[in-house]
Short mmCIF file of all heavy atoms in Angstrom, two decimals:
data_model
loop_
_atom_site.label_atom_id
_atom_site.label_comp_id
_atom_site.label_asym_id
_atom_site.label_seq_id
_atom_site.Cartn_x
_atom_site.Cartn_y
_atom_site.Cartn_z
N LEU A 1 194.20 29.43 114.82
CA LEU A 1 192.82 29.53 115.30
C LEU A 1 192.31 30.94 115.02
O LEU A 1 193.06 31.79 114.51
CB LEU A 1 192.76 29.23 116.80
CG LEU A 1 193.08 27.78 117.21
CD1 LEU A 1 193.43 27.72 118.69
CD2 LEU A 1 191.90 26.87 116.90
N ARG A 2 191.07 31.21 115.39
CA ARG A 2 190.52 32.55 115.17
C ARG A 2 190.75 33.48 116.36
O ARG A 2 191.28 34.57 116.23
CB ARG A 2 189.03 32.46 114.84
CG ARG A 2 188.74 31.84 113.49
CD ARG A 2 187.25 31.84 113.21
NE ARG A 2 186.96 31.24 111.91
CZ ARG A 2 185.74 31.05 111.42
NH1 ARG A 2 184.68 31.42 112.14
NH2 ARG A 2 185.58 30.50 110.24
N HIS A 3 190.31 33.05 117.54
CA HIS A 3 190.28 33.93 118.71
C HIS A 3 191.08 33.35 119.87
O HIS A 3 191.33 32.15 119.93
CB HIS A 3 188.83 34.13 119.18
CG HIS A 3 187.88 34.53 118.10
ND1 HIS A 3 187.83 35.79 117.57
CD2 HIS A 3 186.93 33.81 117.45
CE1 HIS A 3 186.89 35.85 116.64
NE2 HIS A 3 186.34 34.66 116.54
N GLU A 4 191.46 34.23 120.81
CA GLU A 4 192.17 33.79 122.01
C GLU A 4 191.38 32.73 122.77
O GLU A 4 191.95 31.77 123.28
CB GLU A 4 192.45 34.96 122.95
CG GLU A 4 193.53 35.92 122.46
CD GLU A 4 192.95 37.16 121.81
OE1 GLU A 4 191.95 37.02 121.04
OE2 GLU A 4 193.48 38.26 122.05
N ASN A 5 190.06 32.92 122.86
CA ASN A 5 189.26 31.99 123.66
C ASN A 5 189.03 30.65 122.96
O ASN A 5 188.34 29.78 123.49
CB ASN A 5 187.93 32.61 124.10
CG ASN A 5 187.08 33.07 122.93
OD1 ASN A 5 187.34 32.72 121.78
ND2 ASN A 5 186.05 33.85 123.23
N ASP A 6 189.58 30.47 121.76
CA ASP A 6 189.56 29.16 121.10
C ASP A 6 190.71 28.27 121.57
O ASP A 6 190.68 27.06 121.37
CB ASP A 6 189.66 29.31 119.57
CG ASP A 6 188.43 29.94 118.96
OD1 ASP A 6 187.34 29.80 119.55
OD2 ASP A 6 188.54 30.56 117.89
N LEU A 7 191.72 28.88 122.18
CA LEU A 7 192.92 28.14 122.56
C LEU A 7 192.65 27.22 123.75
O LEU A 7 192.10 27.64 124.77
CB LEU A 7 194.05 29.11 122.93
CG LEU A 7 194.77 29.78 121.77
CD1 LEU A 7 195.55 30.98 122.27
CD2 LEU A 7 195.71 28.79 121.07
N CYS A 8 193.05 25.99 123.62
CA CYS A 8 193.06 25.06 124.75
C CYS A 8 194.44 24.40 124.79
O CYS A 8 195.22 24.54 123.85
CB CYS A 8 191.95 24.02 124.64
SG CYS A 8 192.08 22.91 123.22
N TRP A 9 194.73 23.72 125.88
CA TRP A 9 196.03 23.07 126.08
C TRP A 9 197.18 24.08 126.05
O TRP A 9 198.34 23.70 125.90
CB TRP A 9 196.30 21.99 125.03
CG TRP A 9 195.41 20.79 125.11
CD1 TRP A 9 194.83 20.25 126.22
CD2 TRP A 9 195.01 19.95 124.02
NE1 TRP A 9 194.11 19.13 125.90
CE2 TRP A 9 194.19 18.92 124.55
CE3 TRP A 9 195.28 19.94 122.66
CZ2 TRP A 9 193.64 17.91 123.76
CZ3 TRP A 9 194.72 18.95 121.88
CH2 TRP A 9 193.91 17.95 122.42
N LEU A 10 196.87 25.36 126.20
CA LEU A 10 197.92 26.38 126.12
C LEU A 10 198.96 26.18 127.20
O LEU A 10 200.17 26.22 126.93
CB LEU A 10 197.29 27.77 126.23
CG LEU A 10 198.23 28.97 126.03
CD1 LEU A 10 198.89 28.92 124.66
CD2 LEU A 10 197.47 30.28 126.21
N GLU A 11 198.52 25.94 128.42
CA GLU A 11 199.46 25.72 129.52
C GLU A 11 200.28 24.45 129.29
O GLU A 11 201.46 24.40 129.65
CB GLU A 11 198.71 25.65 130.85
CG GLU A 11 198.10 26.98 131.28
CD GLU A 11 197.42 26.89 132.63
OE1 GLU A 11 197.42 25.78 133.23
OE2 GLU A 11 196.89 27.91 133.09
N ASP A 12 199.65 23.44 128.71
CA ASP A 12 200.37 22.19 128.44
C ASP A 12 201.52 22.41 127.47
O ASP A 12 202.64 21.92 127.68
CB ASP A 12 199.42 21.14 127.86
CG ASP A 12 198.39 20.65 128.87
OD1 ASP A 12 198.51 21.00 130.06
OD2 ASP A 12 197.46 19.94 128.47
N PHE A 13 201.26 23.15 126.41
CA PHE A 13 202.31 23.40 125.42
C PHE A 13 203.39 24.32 125.99
O PHE A 13 204.58 24.16 125.69
CB PHE A 13 201.72 24.01 124.15
CG PHE A 13 200.96 23.02 123.30
CD1 PHE A 13 199.66 23.28 122.89
CD2 PHE A 13 201.53 21.82 122.92
CE1 PHE A 13 198.96 22.37 122.11
CE2 PHE A 13 200.84 20.90 122.15
CZ PHE A 13 199.54 21.18 121.74
N GLU A 14 202.99 25.28 126.82
CA GLU A 14 203.98 26.15 127.45
C GLU A 14 204.86 25.36 128.42
O GLU A 14 206.07 25.60 128.51
CB GLU A 14 203.28 27.30 128.17
CG GLU A 14 202.64 28.31 127.22
CD GLU A 14 201.85 29.39 127.94
OE1 GLU A 14 201.55 29.19 129.14
OE2 GLU A 14 201.54 30.41 127.30
N GLU A 15 204.26 24.41 129.12
CA GLU A 15 205.04 23.56 130.02
C GLU A 15 206.02 22.69 129.24
O GLU A 15 207.16 22.48 129.68
CB GLU A 15 204.10 22.68 130.84
CG GLU A 15 204.81 21.82 131.88
CD GLU A 15 203.86 21.02 132.74
OE1 GLU A 15 202.67 21.41 132.84
OE2 GLU A 15 204.29 20.00 133.30
N LEU A 16 205.59 22.20 128.08
CA LEU A 16 206.51 21.43 127.24
C LEU A 16 207.69 22.28 126.78
O LEU A 16 208.83 21.80 126.74
CB LEU A 16 205.76 20.85 126.03
CG LEU A 16 204.82 19.68 126.30
CD1 LEU A 16 204.02 19.35 125.04
CD2 LEU A 16 205.59 18.45 126.77
N MET A 17 207.42 23.54 126.43
CA MET A 17 208.51 24.43 126.02
C MET A 17 209.50 24.64 127.16
O MET A 17 210.72 24.70 126.94
CB MET A 17 207.96 25.78 125.56
CG MET A 17 207.43 25.78 124.15
SD MET A 17 207.34 27.46 123.43
CE MET A 17 206.19 28.25 124.55
N ASN A 18 208.99 24.76 128.38
CA ASN A 18 209.86 24.96 129.54
C ASN A 18 210.66 23.71 129.87
O ASN A 18 211.80 23.79 130.35
CB ASN A 18 209.04 25.39 130.76
CG ASN A 18 208.43 26.76 130.61
OD1 ASN A 18 208.99 27.61 129.92
ND2 ASN A 18 207.29 26.99 131.23
N SER A 19 210.06 22.54 129.62
CA SER A 19 210.72 21.29 129.97
C SER A 19 211.66 20.77 128.89
O SER A 19 212.63 20.07 129.19
CB SER A 19 209.66 20.21 130.26
OG SER A 19 208.83 20.59 131.34
N PHE A 20 211.35 21.12 127.64
CA PHE A 20 212.14 20.61 126.51
C PHE A 20 212.58 21.81 125.65
O PHE A 20 211.78 22.41 124.95
CB PHE A 20 211.31 19.63 125.67
CG PHE A 20 210.85 18.42 126.45
CD1 PHE A 20 209.59 18.40 127.05
CD2 PHE A 20 211.66 17.31 126.58
CE1 PHE A 20 209.16 17.30 127.76
CE2 PHE A 20 211.24 16.20 127.29
CZ PHE A 20 209.99 16.19 127.89
N LYS A 21 213.85 22.10 125.72
CA LYS A 21 214.38 23.28 125.02
C LYS A 21 214.36 23.12 123.51
O LYS A 21 214.54 24.10 122.78
CB LYS A 21 215.82 23.56 125.50
CG LYS A 21 215.92 23.82 126.99
CD LYS A 21 214.97 24.92 127.43
CE LYS A 21 215.05 25.17 128.93
NZ LYS A 21 214.05 26.19 129.38
N ASN A 22 214.15 21.92 123.02
CA ASN A 22 214.10 21.69 121.57
C ASN A 22 212.68 21.81 121.02
O ASN A 22 212.44 21.49 119.85
CB ASN A 22 214.67 20.32 121.21
CG ASN A 22 213.93 19.16 121.88
OD1 ASN A 22 213.59 19.25 123.06
ND2 ASN A 22 213.69 18.08 121.15
N PHE A 23 211.73 22.28 121.83
CA PHE A 23 210.34 22.44 121.39
C PHE A 23 209.92 23.90 121.44
O PHE A 23 210.11 24.57 122.45
CB PHE A 23 209.40 21.60 122.25
CG PHE A 23 207.94 21.80 121.91
CD1 PHE A 23 207.43 21.41 120.68
CD2 PHE A 23 207.07 22.39 122.83
CE1 PHE A 23 206.09 21.61 120.36
CE2 PHE A 23 205.73 22.59 122.53
CZ PHE A 23 205.24 22.20 121.29
N GLN A 24 209.34 24.38 120.33
CA GLN A 24 208.82 25.74 120.25
C GLN A 24 207.36 25.70 119.79
O GLN A 24 206.98 24.85 118.97
CB GLN A 24 209.64 26.58 119.26
CG GLN A 24 211.05 26.88 119.72
CD GLN A 24 211.06 27.77 120.96
OE1 GLN A 24 210.32 28.75 121.04
NE2 GLN A 24 211.91 27.43 121.92
N PHE A 25 206.57 26.61 120.33
CA PHE A 25 205.13 26.66 120.03
C PHE A 25 204.73 28.06 119.61
O PHE A 25 205.02 29.03 120.31
CB PHE A 25 204.35 26.23 121.27
CG PHE A 25 202.86 26.43 121.18
CD1 PHE A 25 202.15 26.03 120.05
CD2 PHE A 25 202.16 27.01 122.23
CE1 PHE A 25 200.77 26.22 119.96
CE2 PHE A 25 200.78 27.18 122.16
CZ PHE A 25 200.09 26.79 121.03
N HIS A 26 204.06 28.16 118.44
CA HIS A 26 203.60 29.45 117.93
C HIS A 26 202.09 29.39 117.67
O HIS A 26 201.65 28.90 116.62
CB HIS A 26 204.31 29.80 116.62
CG HIS A 26 205.80 29.95 116.75
ND1 HIS A 26 206.39 31.01 117.40
CD2 HIS A 26 206.82 29.14 116.33
CE1 HIS A 26 207.72 30.87 117.36
NE2 HIS A 26 207.99 29.74 116.72
N PRO A 27 201.27 29.87 118.62
CA PRO A 27 199.84 29.99 118.32
C PRO A 27 199.61 31.18 117.41
O PRO A 27 200.23 32.24 117.59
CB PRO A 27 199.21 30.20 119.71
CG PRO A 27 200.30 30.82 120.53
CD PRO A 27 201.60 30.28 119.98
N VAL A 28 198.73 31.02 116.43
CA VAL A 28 198.49 32.06 115.43
C VAL A 28 196.98 32.34 115.38
O VAL A 28 196.19 31.41 115.20
CB VAL A 28 198.98 31.63 114.03
CG1 VAL A 28 198.89 32.80 113.06
CG2 VAL A 28 200.39 31.08 114.10
N LEU A 29 196.59 33.62 115.53
CA LEU A 29 195.17 33.97 115.55
C LEU A 29 194.82 34.86 114.37
O LEU A 29 195.48 35.88 114.13
CB LEU A 29 194.83 34.68 116.86
CG LEU A 29 195.09 33.89 118.14
CD1 LEU A 29 194.69 34.72 119.36
CD2 LEU A 29 194.36 32.56 118.14
N SER A 30 193.77 34.48 113.66
CA SER A 30 193.35 35.26 112.49
C SER A 30 192.46 36.44 112.86
O SER A 30 192.33 37.38 112.10
CB SER A 30 192.62 34.35 111.49
OG SER A 30 191.45 33.80 112.08
N GLN A 31 191.83 36.38 114.05
CA GLN A 31 190.98 37.48 114.51
C GLN A 31 191.36 37.84 115.95
O GLN A 31 190.54 37.83 116.86
CB GLN A 31 189.50 37.09 114.41
CG GLN A 31 189.06 36.79 112.98
CD GLN A 31 187.61 36.37 112.88
OE1 GLN A 31 186.77 36.75 113.70
NE2 GLN A 31 187.29 35.59 111.87
N ALA A 32 192.62 38.17 116.13
CA ALA A 32 193.15 38.44 117.46
C ALA A 32 192.71 39.81 117.97
O ALA A 32 192.46 40.74 117.19
CB ALA A 32 194.68 38.36 117.43
N SER A 33 192.66 39.94 119.28
CA SER A 33 192.36 41.24 119.90
C SER A 33 193.61 42.12 119.83
O SER A 33 194.71 41.66 119.50
CB SER A 33 191.95 41.04 121.36
OG SER A 33 193.06 40.56 122.12
N GLU A 34 193.44 43.39 120.16
CA GLU A 34 194.57 44.32 120.14
C GLU A 34 195.64 43.93 121.15
O GLU A 34 196.81 44.24 120.97
CB GLU A 34 194.08 45.74 120.42
CG GLU A 34 193.19 46.33 119.33
CD GLU A 34 192.78 47.75 119.63
OE1 GLU A 34 193.20 48.28 120.69
OE2 GLU A 34 192.04 48.34 118.81
N GLU A 35 195.24 43.22 122.22
CA GLU A 35 196.19 42.85 123.27
C GLU A 35 197.07 41.67 122.88
O GLU A 35 198.09 41.42 123.51
CB GLU A 35 195.43 42.51 124.56
CG GLU A 35 194.75 43.70 125.23
CD GLU A 35 193.48 44.13 124.53
OE1 GLU A 35 192.89 43.29 123.80
OE2 GLU A 35 193.07 45.30 124.68
N TRP A 36 196.68 40.94 121.84
CA TRP A 36 197.44 39.75 121.43
C TRP A 36 198.81 40.16 120.89
O TRP A 36 198.91 40.95 119.95
CB TRP A 36 196.67 38.98 120.37
CG TRP A 36 197.32 37.71 119.90
CD1 TRP A 36 197.95 37.49 118.71
CD2 TRP A 36 197.39 36.47 120.61
NE1 TRP A 36 198.41 36.21 118.63
CE2 TRP A 36 198.08 35.54 119.79
CE3 TRP A 36 196.94 36.05 121.87
CZ2 TRP A 36 198.32 34.23 120.18
CZ3 TRP A 36 197.18 34.74 122.26
CH2 TRP A 36 197.87 33.85 121.42
N SER A 37 199.87 39.60 121.49
CA SER A 37 201.23 40.03 121.14
C SER A 37 201.99 39.01 120.29
O SER A 37 203.14 39.27 119.93
CB SER A 37 202.03 40.30 122.42
OG SER A 37 202.11 39.13 123.22
N LEU A 38 201.36 37.87 119.99
CA LEU A 38 202.04 36.84 119.22
C LEU A 38 201.60 36.88 117.76
O LEU A 38 201.10 37.90 117.29
CB LEU A 38 201.77 35.48 119.86
CG LEU A 38 202.21 35.36 121.33
CD1 LEU A 38 201.83 34.02 121.91
CD2 LEU A 38 203.70 35.63 121.48
N CYS A 39 201.79 35.80 117.03
CA CYS A 39 201.53 35.79 115.59
C CYS A 39 200.06 36.08 115.27
O CYS A 39 199.16 35.55 115.93
CB CYS A 39 201.92 34.44 115.00
SG CYS A 39 203.70 34.17 114.88
N ARG A 40 199.85 36.89 114.23
CA ARG A 40 198.51 37.23 113.77
C ARG A 40 198.34 36.78 112.31
O ARG A 40 199.32 36.62 111.60
CB ARG A 40 198.27 38.74 113.82
CG ARG A 40 198.26 39.33 115.22
CD ARG A 40 198.23 40.85 115.15
NE ARG A 40 198.09 41.44 116.47
CZ ARG A 40 196.93 41.77 117.01
NH1 ARG A 40 195.82 41.60 116.32
NH2 ARG A 40 196.88 42.28 118.22
N GLY A 41 197.08 36.64 111.91
CA GLY A 41 196.79 36.27 110.53
C GLY A 41 196.56 34.78 110.41
O GLY A 41 196.16 34.11 111.37
N TYR A 42 196.82 34.26 109.22
CA TYR A 42 196.70 32.82 109.01
C TYR A 42 197.99 32.14 109.44
O TYR A 42 199.05 32.77 109.49
CB TYR A 42 196.38 32.52 107.55
CG TYR A 42 195.03 33.01 107.11
CD1 TYR A 42 194.90 34.02 106.16
CD2 TYR A 42 193.86 32.46 107.66
CE1 TYR A 42 193.64 34.47 105.76
CE2 TYR A 42 192.60 32.91 107.27
CZ TYR A 42 192.51 33.91 106.33
OH TYR A 42 191.27 34.36 105.96
N VAL A 43 197.88 30.85 109.70
CA VAL A 43 199.05 30.13 110.17
C VAL A 43 200.17 30.17 109.13
O VAL A 43 201.36 30.18 109.48
CB VAL A 43 198.67 28.67 110.53
CG1 VAL A 43 198.31 27.87 109.29
CG2 VAL A 43 199.77 28.00 111.32
N THR A 44 199.82 30.26 107.86
CA THR A 44 200.84 30.35 106.82
C THR A 44 201.59 31.69 106.87
O THR A 44 202.74 31.77 106.44
CB THR A 44 200.20 30.18 105.43
OG1 THR A 44 199.01 30.99 105.35
CG2 THR A 44 199.82 28.73 105.18
N ASP A 45 200.95 32.75 107.39
CA ASP A 45 201.63 34.04 107.55
C ASP A 45 202.77 33.91 108.55
O ASP A 45 203.88 34.43 108.33
CB ASP A 45 200.65 35.11 108.02
CG ASP A 45 199.56 35.39 107.00
OD1 ASP A 45 199.84 35.29 105.79
OD2 ASP A 45 198.42 35.71 107.41
N CYS A 46 202.49 33.23 109.66
CA CYS A 46 203.52 33.04 110.69
C CYS A 46 204.60 32.08 110.19
O CYS A 46 205.79 32.32 110.38
CB CYS A 46 202.88 32.50 111.96
SG CYS A 46 204.00 32.38 113.37
N LEU A 47 204.17 31.03 109.54
CA LEU A 47 205.12 30.06 109.01
C LEU A 47 206.09 30.72 108.03
O LEU A 47 207.28 30.42 108.00
CB LEU A 47 204.36 28.92 108.32
CG LEU A 47 205.16 27.74 107.78
CD1 LEU A 47 205.80 26.97 108.91
CD2 LEU A 47 204.26 26.82 106.96
#
């Protein structure tokens, strides 16, 4: 996605990660703020 405020279902995916150890979630932002600590750029960069 582009921005943090574009993210929805974030809590749902985090809950799935906590409930199912075989599931991992990587949100990737192309226009992230300085505070964003996860993947930046295009989704292919993170991949």
Side-chain angles (χ1 to χ4, degrees):
L1 293 161
R2 291 183 180 177
H3 310 284
E4 288 99 319
N5 58 13
D6 291 333
L7 283 163
C8 64
W9 293 330
L10 186 59
E11 292 183 0
D12 292 351
F13 286 128
E14 290 176 344
E15 184 177 338
L16 286 172
M17 280 201 299
N18 292 331
S19 300
F20 300 94
K21 300 307 179 184
N22 59 318
F23 176 65
Q24 291 295 316
F25 171 47
H26 299 288
V28 188
L29 301 180
S30 61
Q31 299 179 27
S33 67
E34 293 182 1
E35 291 76 22
W36 182 254
S37 60
L38 302 177
C39 287
R40 294 172 174 266
Y42 294 114
V43 69
T44 47
D45 296 327
C46 186
L47 184 66

